Amino acid sequence: VVERELGLFAYEFKFADKVQPSDFNGIKSVISATGSRLKAGFFVSRQPYAERFGENLFAVPWWYFCV
């Protein structure tokens, strides 16, 4: 979890080729614990494209952070 001026942002990293909805269980637990302070949750993996998994829940490829 990273705190910025806008609020909290959760990141989870996994060496997976494809993100599944159940992969967000940890981030959903953080949402429950922090309430509205968590602005978005990101699951970072080897998946080659970005994908939305719900309100403010996103799967993003690792290389997004290298650009």
Coordinates of all heavy atoms in Angstrom, one line a residue:
V1 N 0.9 -1.2 0.0 CA 0.0 0.0 0.0 C 0.9 1.2 0.0 O 1.8 1.3 0.8 CB -0.9 0.0 1.2 CG1 -1.8 1.3 1.3 CG2 -1.8 -1.2 1.2
V2 N 0.6 2.2 -0.9 CA 1.3 3.4 -1.0 C 0.4 4.6 -0.7 O -0.7 4.6 -1.2 CB 1.9 3.6 -2.5 CG1 2.6 4.9 -2.6 CG2 2.8 2.4 -2.8
E3 N 0.9 5.5 0.1 CA 0.1 6.7 0.4 C 0.6 7.8 -0.4 O 1.8 8.2 -0.4 CB 0.2 7.0 1.9 CG -0.8 8.1 2.3 CD -0.8 8.3 3.8 OE1 0.0 7.8 4.6 OE2 -1.8 9.0 4.3
R4 N -0.3 8.5 -1.0 CA -0.1 9.7 -1.8 C -1.0 10.8 -1.3 O -1.9 10.6 -0.5 CB -0.3 9.5 -3.3 CG 0.6 8.4 -3.9 CD 1.9 9.0 -4.1 NE 2.8 8.0 -4.8 CZ 4.1 8.0 -4.7 NH1 4.7 8.9 -3.9 NH2 4.8 7.1 -5.3
E5 N -0.8 12.0 -1.9 CA -1.7 13.1 -1.5 C -3.2 12.8 -1.7 O -4.0 13.3 -1.0 CB -1.3 14.4 -2.2 CG 0.0 14.9 -1.8 CD 0.4 16.1 -2.6 OE1 -0.4 16.8 -3.3 OE2 1.6 16.5 -2.6
L6 N -3.5 12.1 -2.8 CA -4.9 11.8 -3.1 C -5.5 10.7 -2.3 O -6.7 10.4 -2.4 CB -5.0 11.4 -4.6 CG -4.5 12.5 -5.6 CD1 -4.5 12.0 -7.0 CD2 -5.4 13.7 -5.5
G7 N -4.7 9.9 -1.6 CA -5.2 8.8 -0.8 C -4.2 7.6 -0.9 O -3.1 7.7 -1.2
L8 N -4.8 6.4 -0.6 CA -4.0 5.2 -0.6 C -4.2 4.4 -1.9 O -5.3 4.4 -2.4 CB -4.5 4.3 0.6 CG -4.3 4.8 2.0 CD1 -4.9 3.8 3.0 CD2 -2.8 5.0 2.3
F9 N -3.2 3.8 -2.3 CA -3.2 2.9 -3.5 C -2.6 1.6 -3.2 O -1.4 1.6 -2.7 CB -2.5 3.6 -4.7 CG -3.1 4.9 -5.1 CD1 -2.8 6.1 -4.5 CD2 -4.0 4.9 -6.1 CE1 -3.4 7.3 -4.9 CE2 -4.7 6.1 -6.5 CZ -4.3 7.3 -5.9
A10 N -3.3 0.5 -3.5 CA -2.8 -0.8 -3.2 C -2.2 -1.5 -4.5 O -2.8 -1.4 -5.5 CB -3.9 -1.7 -2.6
Y11 N -1.0 -2.1 -4.3 CA -0.4 -2.8 -5.4 C -0.1 -4.2 -4.9 O 0.5 -4.4 -3.8 CB 0.9 -2.1 -5.8 CG 0.7 -0.7 -6.3 CD1 0.8 0.3 -5.5 CD2 0.5 -0.5 -7.7 CE1 0.6 1.6 -5.9 CE2 0.4 0.8 -8.1 CZ 0.4 1.8 -7.3 OH 0.2 3.1 -7.7
E12 N -0.4 -5.2 -5.8 CA 0.0 -6.6 -5.5 C 0.7 -7.1 -6.8 O 0.3 -6.8 -7.9 CB -1.2 -7.5 -5.2 CG -0.8 -8.8 -4.8 CD -2.0 -9.6 -4.2 OE1 -3.0 -9.0 -3.8 OE2 -1.9 -10.9 -4.1
F13 N 1.8 -7.8 -6.5 CA 2.6 -8.3 -7.6 C 2.6 -9.8 -7.6 O 2.7 -10.4 -6.6 CB 4.1 -7.8 -7.5 CG 4.2 -6.3 -7.5 CD1 3.9 -5.6 -6.4 CD2 4.6 -5.7 -8.7 CE1 4.0 -4.2 -6.4 CE2 4.7 -4.3 -8.7 CZ 4.4 -3.6 -7.6
K14 N 2.5 -10.4 -8.8 CA 2.5 -11.8 -8.9 C 3.0 -12.3 -10.3 O 2.8 -11.6 -11.3 CB 1.0 -12.4 -8.8 CG 0.9 -13.8 -8.6 CD -0.5 -14.2 -8.2 CE -0.7 -15.6 -7.8 NZ -2.0 -15.9 -7.5
F15 N 3.8 -13.3 -10.3 CA 4.4 -13.9 -11.5 C 3.4 -14.7 -12.2 O 3.5 -16.0 -12.3 CB 5.7 -14.7 -11.2 CG 6.5 -15.0 -12.3 CD1 7.3 -14.0 -12.9 CD2 6.5 -16.3 -12.8 CE1 8.1 -14.4 -14.0 CE2 7.3 -16.6 -13.9 CZ 8.1 -15.7 -14.5
A16 N 2.3 -14.1 -12.8 CA 1.3 -14.8 -13.4 C 1.1 -14.3 -14.8 O 1.3 -13.1 -15.1 CB -0.1 -14.6 -12.7
D17 N 0.7 -15.2 -15.7 CA 0.4 -14.8 -17.1 C -0.9 -14.2 -17.3 O -1.2 -13.4 -18.3 CB 0.6 -16.0 -18.1 CG 2.0 -16.5 -18.1 OD1 2.9 -15.7 -18.1 OD2 2.2 -17.7 -18.2
K18 N -1.9 -14.5 -16.4 CA -3.3 -14.1 -16.6 C -3.8 -13.8 -15.2 O -3.7 -14.7 -14.3 CB -4.1 -15.1 -17.3 CG -5.6 -14.8 -17.4 CD -5.8 -13.7 -18.4 CE -7.3 -13.5 -18.6 NZ -7.8 -12.2 -18.3
V19 N -4.4 -12.7 -15.0 CA -5.0 -12.3 -13.7 C -6.4 -12.8 -13.7 O -7.2 -12.7 -14.6 CB -5.0 -10.8 -13.5 CG1 -5.7 -10.4 -12.2 CG2 -3.5 -10.3 -13.5
Q20 N -6.8 -13.4 -12.5 CA -8.2 -13.9 -12.3 C -8.9 -13.0 -11.3 O -8.2 -12.4 -10.4 CB -8.1 -15.3 -11.7 CG -7.4 -16.3 -12.6 CD -8.0 -16.5 -14.0 OE1 -9.2 -16.5 -14.1 NE2 -7.2 -16.6 -15.0
P21 N -10.2 -13.0 -11.3 CA -10.9 -12.1 -10.3 C -10.5 -12.5 -8.9 O -10.4 -11.6 -8.0 CB -12.4 -12.4 -10.6 CG -12.4 -12.8 -12.0 CD -11.1 -13.6 -12.3
S22 N -10.3 -13.7 -8.6 CA -10.0 -14.1 -7.2 C -8.6 -13.6 -6.7 O -8.3 -13.5 -5.5 CB -10.0 -15.7 -7.1 OG -9.0 -16.2 -7.9
D23 N -7.8 -13.2 -7.7 CA -6.5 -12.6 -7.3 C -6.6 -11.3 -6.6 O -5.7 -10.9 -5.9 CB -5.6 -12.4 -8.6 CG -5.2 -13.7 -9.2 OD1 -5.0 -14.7 -8.5 OD2 -5.0 -13.7 -10.5
F24 N -7.7 -10.7 -6.7 CA -8.0 -9.4 -6.0 C -8.5 -9.5 -4.6 O -8.8 -8.5 -3.9 CB -9.0 -8.5 -6.8 CG -8.3 -8.0 -8.0 CD1 -8.4 -8.6 -9.2 CD2 -7.7 -6.7 -8.0 CE1 -7.8 -8.1 -10.4 CE2 -7.1 -6.2 -9.1 CZ -7.1 -6.8 -10.3
N25 N -8.6 -10.7 -4.0 CA -9.1 -10.9 -2.7 C -8.3 -10.2 -1.6 O -8.8 -9.6 -0.7 CB -9.1 -12.4 -2.3 CG -10.2 -13.1 -3.1 OD1 -11.1 -12.5 -3.7 ND2 -10.2 -14.5 -3.2
G26 N -6.9 -10.2 -1.8 CA -6.1 -9.4 -0.8 C -6.4 -7.9 -0.9 O -6.5 -7.3 0.1
I27 N -6.4 -7.4 -2.1 CA -6.7 -6.0 -2.3 C -8.1 -5.6 -1.7 O -8.3 -4.6 -1.1 CB -6.5 -5.5 -3.7 CG1 -5.0 -5.7 -4.1 CG2 -7.1 -4.1 -4.0 CD1 -4.7 -5.4 -5.6
K28 N -9.1 -6.5 -2.0 CA -10.4 -6.3 -1.4 C -10.4 -6.3 0.1 O -11.2 -5.5 0.7 CB -11.4 -7.3 -2.0 CG -11.7 -7.1 -3.4 CD -12.6 -8.2 -4.0 CE -12.9 -8.0 -5.4 NZ -13.8 -9.1 -6.0
S29 N -9.6 -7.0 0.7 CA -9.4 -7.0 2.2 C -8.9 -5.6 2.6 O -9.3 -5.1 3.6 CB -8.5 -8.1 2.7 OG -9.0 -9.4 2.4
V30 N -8.0 -5.1 1.9 CA -7.4 -3.8 2.2 C -8.5 -2.7 2.0 O -8.6 -1.8 2.9 CB -6.2 -3.4 1.3 CG1 -5.7 -2.0 1.5 CG2 -5.1 -4.4 1.6
I31 N -9.3 -2.8 1.0 CA -10.5 -1.9 0.8 C -11.4 -2.0 2.0 O -11.8 -0.9 2.5 CB -11.2 -2.2 -0.5 CG1 -10.3 -1.9 -1.7 CG2 -12.5 -1.5 -0.6 CD1 -10.9 -2.4 -3.0
S32 N -11.7 -3.2 2.5 CA -12.6 -3.3 3.6 C -12.0 -2.7 4.9 O -12.7 -2.0 5.7 CB -12.9 -4.8 3.9 OG -13.6 -5.3 2.9
A33 N -10.7 -2.8 5.0 CA -10.0 -2.3 6.2 C -9.8 -0.7 6.2 O -9.8 -0.1 7.2 CB -8.6 -2.9 6.4
T34 N -9.7 -0.2 5.0 CA -9.4 1.3 4.9 C -10.5 2.1 4.5 O -10.5 3.3 4.5 CB -8.2 1.5 3.9 OG1 -8.6 1.0 2.6 CG2 -6.9 0.8 4.3
G35 N -11.6 1.5 4.0 CA -12.8 2.3 3.6 C -12.5 3.1 2.4 O -11.8 2.7 1.4
S36 N -12.9 4.4 2.4 CA -12.8 5.2 1.3 C -11.4 5.8 1.1 O -11.1 6.5 0.1 CB -13.8 6.4 1.4 OG -13.5 7.2 2.5
R37 N -10.5 5.5 2.0 CA -9.1 6.0 1.9 C -8.4 5.4 0.7 O -7.5 6.0 0.1 CB -8.3 5.8 3.2 CG -8.8 6.7 4.3 CD -7.9 6.6 5.5 NE -6.5 7.1 5.1 CZ -5.4 6.7 5.6 NH1 -5.4 5.8 6.6 NH2 -4.3 7.2 5.2
L38 N -8.7 4.1 0.4 CA -8.1 3.4 -0.7 C -8.8 3.9 -2.0 O -10.0 3.7 -2.2 CB -8.2 1.9 -0.6 CG -7.4 1.2 -1.6 CD1 -5.9 1.2 -1.3 CD2 -7.8 -0.3 -1.7
K39 N -8.0 4.5 -2.9 CA -8.5 5.1 -4.1 C -8.6 4.1 -5.3 O -9.4 4.2 -6.2 CB -7.7 6.3 -4.5 CG -7.7 7.4 -3.5 CD -9.2 7.8 -3.2 CE -9.2 8.9 -2.1 NZ -10.5 9.2 -1.6
A40 N -7.6 3.2 -5.3 CA -7.5 2.2 -6.4 C -6.6 1.0 -6.0 O -5.7 1.2 -5.2 CB -7.0 2.8 -7.7
G41 N -6.9 -0.1 -6.6 CA -6.1 -1.3 -6.4 C -5.6 -1.8 -7.7 O -6.3 -1.9 -8.7
F42 N -4.3 -2.2 -7.7 CA -3.6 -2.6 -9.0 C -3.0 -4.0 -8.7 O -2.3 -4.2 -7.7 CB -2.5 -1.6 -9.4 CG -3.1 -0.3 -9.7 CD1 -3.1 0.7 -8.7 CD2 -3.6 0.0 -11.0 CE1 -3.6 2.0 -9.0 CE2 -4.1 1.3 -11.3 CZ -4.1 2.3 -10.3
F43 N -3.2 -4.9 -9.6 CA -2.6 -6.2 -9.6 C -1.6 -6.2 -10.8 O -2.0 -6.1 -11.9 CB -3.6 -7.3 -9.8 CG -3.1 -8.6 -9.4 CD1 -3.3 -9.1 -8.1 CD2 -2.4 -9.4 -10.2 CE1 -2.9 -10.3 -7.7 CE2 -1.9 -10.6 -9.8 CZ -2.1 -11.1 -8.5
V44 N -0.3 -6.3 -10.4 CA 0.7 -6.2 -11.4 C 1.2 -7.7 -11.8 O 1.6 -8.4 -10.8 CB 1.9 -5.4 -10.9 CG1 3.0 -5.2 -12.0 CG2 1.4 -4.0 -10.5
S45 N 1.2 -8.0 -13.1 CA 1.6 -9.3 -13.5 C 2.3 -9.3 -14.8 O 2.6 -8.3 -15.4 CB 0.4 -10.2 -13.5 OG -0.5 -9.9 -14.6
R46 N 2.5 -10.5 -15.4 CA 3.0 -10.7 -16.7 C 2.0 -10.6 -17.8 O 2.2 -10.8 -19.0 CB 3.8 -12.0 -16.8 CG 5.0 -12.0 -15.9 CD 5.9 -13.2 -16.0 NE 5.1 -14.4 -16.2 CZ 5.5 -15.5 -16.9 NH1 6.7 -15.5 -17.5 NH2 4.8 -16.6 -17.0
Q47 N 0.7 -10.4 -17.4 CA -0.4 -10.3 -18.4 C 0.0 -9.1 -19.4 O 0.4 -8.1 -19.0 CB -1.7 -9.9 -17.7 CG -2.9 -9.8 -18.6 CD -4.1 -9.7 -17.8 OE1 -4.4 -10.6 -17.0 NE2 -4.9 -8.7 -18.0
P48 N -0.1 -9.4 -20.7 CA 0.4 -8.4 -21.7 C -0.5 -7.1 -21.9 O -0.1 -6.3 -22.6 CB 0.5 -9.2 -22.9 CG -0.6 -10.3 -22.8 CD -0.6 -10.6 -21.3
Y49 N -1.6 -7.0 -21.2 CA -2.5 -5.9 -21.4 C -3.2 -5.5 -20.1 O -3.3 -6.3 -19.2 CB -3.6 -6.3 -22.5 CG -4.3 -7.6 -22.1 CD1 -5.5 -7.6 -21.3 CD2 -3.9 -8.8 -22.6 CE1 -6.1 -8.7 -21.0 CE2 -4.5 -10.0 -22.3 CZ -5.6 -9.9 -21.5 OH -6.3 -11.1 -21.1
A50 N -3.7 -4.3 -20.0 CA -4.4 -3.8 -18.9 C -5.8 -4.3 -18.9 O -6.4 -4.4 -20.0 CB -4.3 -2.3 -18.8
E51 N -6.4 -4.5 -17.8 CA -7.8 -5.0 -17.7 C -8.5 -4.5 -16.4 O -7.8 -4.4 -15.4 CB -7.8 -6.5 -17.7 CG -9.1 -7.2 -17.8 CD -9.0 -8.7 -18.0 OE1 -7.9 -9.2 -17.9 OE2 -10.0 -9.3 -18.2
R52 N -9.7 -4.1 -16.6 CA -10.5 -3.6 -15.4 C -11.2 -4.8 -14.8 O -11.8 -5.6 -15.5 CB -11.4 -2.5 -15.8 CG -12.2 -1.9 -14.7 CD -13.0 -0.8 -15.1 NE -13.7 -0.3 -13.9 CZ -14.6 0.7 -14.0 NH1 -14.8 1.3 -15.1 NH2 -15.1 1.1 -12.9
F53 N -11.2 -4.9 -13.5 CA -11.8 -6.0 -12.7 C -12.9 -5.5 -11.8 O -13.3 -6.2 -10.9 CB -10.8 -6.8 -12.0 CG -10.1 -7.8 -12.9 CD1 -9.0 -7.5 -13.7 CD2 -10.6 -9.1 -12.9 CE1 -8.4 -8.4 -14.5 CE2 -10.0 -10.1 -13.7 CZ -8.9 -9.7 -14.5
G54 N -13.3 -4.3 -11.9 CA -14.3 -3.7 -11.0 C -14.0 -2.3 -10.8 O -13.1 -1.7 -11.3
E55 N -14.8 -1.7 -9.9 CA -14.6 -0.2 -9.7 C -13.3 0.0 -9.0 O -13.1 -0.5 -7.9 CB -15.8 0.3 -8.8 CG -15.7 1.8 -8.5 CD -16.9 2.3 -7.8 OE1 -17.9 1.6 -7.7 OE2 -16.8 3.4 -7.2
N56 N -12.4 0.7 -9.6 CA -11.1 1.0 -9.1 C -10.2 -0.2 -8.9 O -9.3 -0.1 -8.1 CB -11.2 1.9 -7.9 CG -11.9 3.2 -8.1 OD1 -11.8 3.8 -9.2 ND2 -12.7 3.6 -7.2
L57 N -10.4 -1.3 -9.6 CA -9.6 -2.5 -9.5 C -9.1 -2.8 -10.9 O -9.8 -3.0 -11.9 CB -10.4 -3.7 -9.0 CG -10.9 -3.6 -7.6 CD1 -11.7 -4.8 -7.3 CD2 -9.7 -3.5 -6.6
F58 N -7.7 -2.8 -11.1 CA -7.1 -2.9 -12.4 C -6.0 -3.9 -12.4 O -5.2 -4.0 -11.4 CB -6.6 -1.6 -12.9 CG -7.6 -0.5 -12.9 CD1 -7.7 0.3 -11.8 CD2 -8.4 -0.3 -13.9 CE1 -8.7 1.3 -11.7 CE2 -9.4 0.7 -13.9 CZ -9.5 1.5 -12.8
A59 N -5.9 -4.7 -13.4 CA -4.7 -5.6 -13.7 C -3.9 -4.8 -14.7 O -4.4 -4.3 -15.7 CB -5.1 -6.9 -14.2
V60 N -2.6 -4.7 -14.4 CA -1.7 -4.0 -15.3 C -0.4 -4.8 -15.5 O 0.0 -5.5 -14.6 CB -1.3 -2.6 -14.8 CG1 -2.6 -1.7 -14.8 CG2 -0.7 -2.6 -13.5
P61 N 0.1 -4.8 -16.8 CA 1.4 -5.5 -17.0 C 2.5 -4.8 -16.3 O 2.5 -3.6 -16.1 CB 1.6 -5.4 -18.5 CG 0.5 -4.5 -19.0 CD -0.4 -4.1 -17.9
W62 N 3.5 -5.6 -15.9 CA 4.7 -5.1 -15.2 C 5.4 -4.0 -15.9 O 5.9 -3.0 -15.3 CB 5.7 -6.2 -14.9 CG 6.2 -6.8 -16.1 CD1 5.7 -7.9 -16.8 CD2 7.4 -6.4 -16.8 NE1 6.5 -8.1 -17.9 CE2 7.5 -7.2 -17.9 CE3 8.3 -5.4 -16.6 CZ2 8.6 -7.1 -18.8 CZ3 9.4 -5.2 -17.5 CH2 9.5 -6.1 -18.6
W63 N 5.4 -4.0 -17.3 CA 6.2 -3.1 -18.0 C 5.5 -1.7 -18.0 O 6.2 -0.7 -18.4 CB 6.4 -3.6 -19.5 CG 5.2 -4.0 -20.2 CD1 4.7 -5.3 -20.3 CD2 4.3 -3.2 -20.9 NE1 3.6 -5.3 -21.1 CE2 3.3 -4.1 -21.5 CE3 4.2 -1.8 -21.2 CZ2 2.2 -3.6 -22.2 CZ3 3.2 -1.4 -22.0 CH2 2.2 -2.3 -22.5
Y64 N 4.3 -1.5 -17.5 CA 3.7 -0.2 -17.4 C 4.6 0.7 -16.5 O 4.6 1.9 -16.6 CB 2.3 -0.3 -16.8 CG 1.2 -0.4 -17.8 CD1 1.3 -1.1 -18.9 CD2 0.0 0.2 -17.5 CE1 0.3 -1.2 -19.8 CE2 -1.1 0.1 -18.4 CZ -0.9 -0.6 -19.6 OH -2.0 -0.7 -20.5
F65 N 5.3 0.1 -15.6 CA 6.1 0.8 -14.6 C 7.5 1.1 -15.1 O 8.3 1.8 -14.5 CB 6.2 0.1 -13.3 CG 4.8 -0.1 -12.6 CD1 4.1 -1.2 -12.9 CD2 4.3 0.9 -11.9 CE1 2.8 -1.4 -12.3 CE2 3.1 0.8 -11.3 CZ 2.3 -0.3 -11.5
C66 N 7.8 0.6 -16.3 CA 9.1 0.8 -16.9 C 9.1 1.9 -18.0 O 10.1 2.3 -18.6 CB 9.6 -0.5 -17.6 SG 9.8 -1.8 -16.4
V67 N 7.9 2.5 -18.3 CA 7.8 3.5 -19.4 C 8.0 4.8 -18.8 O 7.6 5.2 -17.8 CB 6.4 3.3 -20.0 CG1 6.3 4.3 -21.2 CG2 6.2 1.9 -20.5

